[in-house]
């Protein structure tokens, strides 16, 4: 058995504040729309998504202290299975999170959030976190196992705000446009594997 790929998606600062507010006021997990997720990539290509849910301990509200301090309530986080993503046909090796500015939105939540996964099947897949893991795009071009990937701010030669960078056993590092899936650059590397 291989070690599974793991990724924790945690809301950014403004999202974290809304999560904390929701956690204080939510009666159950269904009321919380944007909570942290744990993604686990398996050796058969399935990605499991779990929520970090807030659980209030029964009878945990302490009596109000006589010294004027605030009342406290015990809360803990538990993992609950949310959904599974199916798209890879072999083991999942790595994950990255991409946040892209959505120019159509004027609200505080003006970023789209995507999970990127890569694997033994030579593919990179982009999943929409906000839409329960809808498969959006497959990045094809590597001829060997895609071992790892990351998201980087683009440098001066590319027009994109961010690019996806992947490394493969085909002895290449590839740079991808996240908006349309095109390969912007392929860099040949010496040695046996990247």
């Amino acid at each position: 058995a291989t070690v599974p790929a793991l990724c924790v998606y945690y809301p950014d600062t403004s999202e974290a504040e809304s999560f904390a507010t929701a956690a204080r006021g939510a009666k159950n997990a269904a009321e919380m729309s944007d909570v942290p997720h744990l993604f686990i990539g398996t050796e058969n290509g399935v990605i499991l998504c779990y929520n970090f849910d807030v659980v209030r301990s029964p009878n945990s509200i302490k009596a109000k202290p006589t010294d004027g301090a605030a009342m406290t309530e015990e809360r803990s986080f538990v993992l609950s299975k949310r959904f599974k993503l199916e798209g890879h046909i072999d083991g999942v090796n790595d994950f990255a999170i991409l946040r892209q500015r959505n120019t159509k939105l004027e609200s505080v939540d003006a970023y789209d959030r995507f999970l990127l996964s890569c694997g033994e099947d030579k593919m990179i897949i982009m999943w929409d976190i906000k839409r329960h893991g809808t498969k959006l795009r497959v990045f094809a071009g590597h001829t060997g196992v895609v071992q790892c990937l990351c998201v980087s701010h683009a440098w001066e030669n590319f027009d994109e705000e961010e690019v996806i960078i992947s490394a493969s056993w085909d002895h290449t590092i590839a740079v991808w446009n996240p908006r349309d899936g095109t390969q912007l650059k392929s860099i040949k590397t010496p040695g046996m594997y990247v």
Side-chain angles (χ1 to χ4, degrees), residues 104-115:
K104 297 175 187 172
L105 296 175
E106 297 294 328
S107 67
V108 174
D109 188 19
Y111 285 86
D112 290 325
R113 292 162 212 69
F114 305 103
L115 175 72

Side-chain angles (χ1 to χ4, degrees), residues 55 63 71 73 76 80 93 117 124 127 132 143 166 168 173 184 194:
V55 176
M71 291 192 312
E73 179 181 18
S76 60
S80 62
N93 290 333
S117 59
I124 300 166
W127 312 88
H132 305 289
T143 59
S166 59
S168 171
I173 295 172
L184 301 170
V194 175

Side-chain angles (χ1 to χ4, degrees), residues 39-186:
F39 295 99
I40 302 173
T42 65
E43 60 187 10
N44 67 355
V46 174
I47 299 168
L48 304 173
C49 175
Y50 292 85
N51 276 1
F52 288 97
D53 293 324
V54 176
V55 176
R56 291 183 176 152
S57 301
N59 304 320
S60 67
I61 297 178
K62 311 283 186 216
K64 188 171 183 179
T66 55
D67 63 2
M71 291 192 312
T72 61
E73 179 181 18
E74 291 179 18
R75 285 183 226 105
S76 60
F77 292 91
V78 295
L79 289 176
S80 62
K81 191 169 180 181
R82 186 165 181 203
F83 52 82
K84 67 180 178 178
L85 308 175
E86 296 178 299
H88 286 284
I89 56 174
D90 208 341
V92 177
N93 290 333
D94 199 13
F95 293 111
I97 299 291
L98 171 67
R99 285 183 171 93
Q100 279 190 327
R101 181 104 177 124
N102 186 333
T103 55
K104 297 175 187 172
L105 296 175
E106 297 294 328
S107 67
V108 174
D109 188 19
Y111 285 86
D112 290 325
R113 292 162 212 69
F114 305 103
L115 175 72
L116 300 162
S117 59
C118 67
E120 303 285 320
D121 55 8
K122 308 171 190 171
M123 292 191 301
I124 300 166
I125 300 177
M126 179 186 280
W127 312 88
D128 190 335
I129 295 174
K130 289 171 75 174
R131 291 173 186 83
H132 305 289
T134 303
K135 184 164 111 176
L136 296 177
R137 183 169 299 119
V138 174
F139 299 78
H142 281 297
T143 59
V145 168
V146 184
Q147 188 61 40
C148 57
L149 63 114
C150 68
V151 174
S152 177
H153 290 288
W155 51 93
E156 60 193 48
N157 295 338
F158 300 108
D159 293 332
E160 295 300 312
E161 290 179 19
E162 293 184 306
V163 293
I164 299 164
I165 301 172
S166 59
S168 171
W169 288 9
D170 65 8
H171 309 285
T172 64
I173 295 172
V175 180
W176 306 88
N177 179 336
R179 295 192 185 275
D180 63 12
T182 57
Q183 193 176 91
L184 301 170
K185 188 169 187 72
S186 180

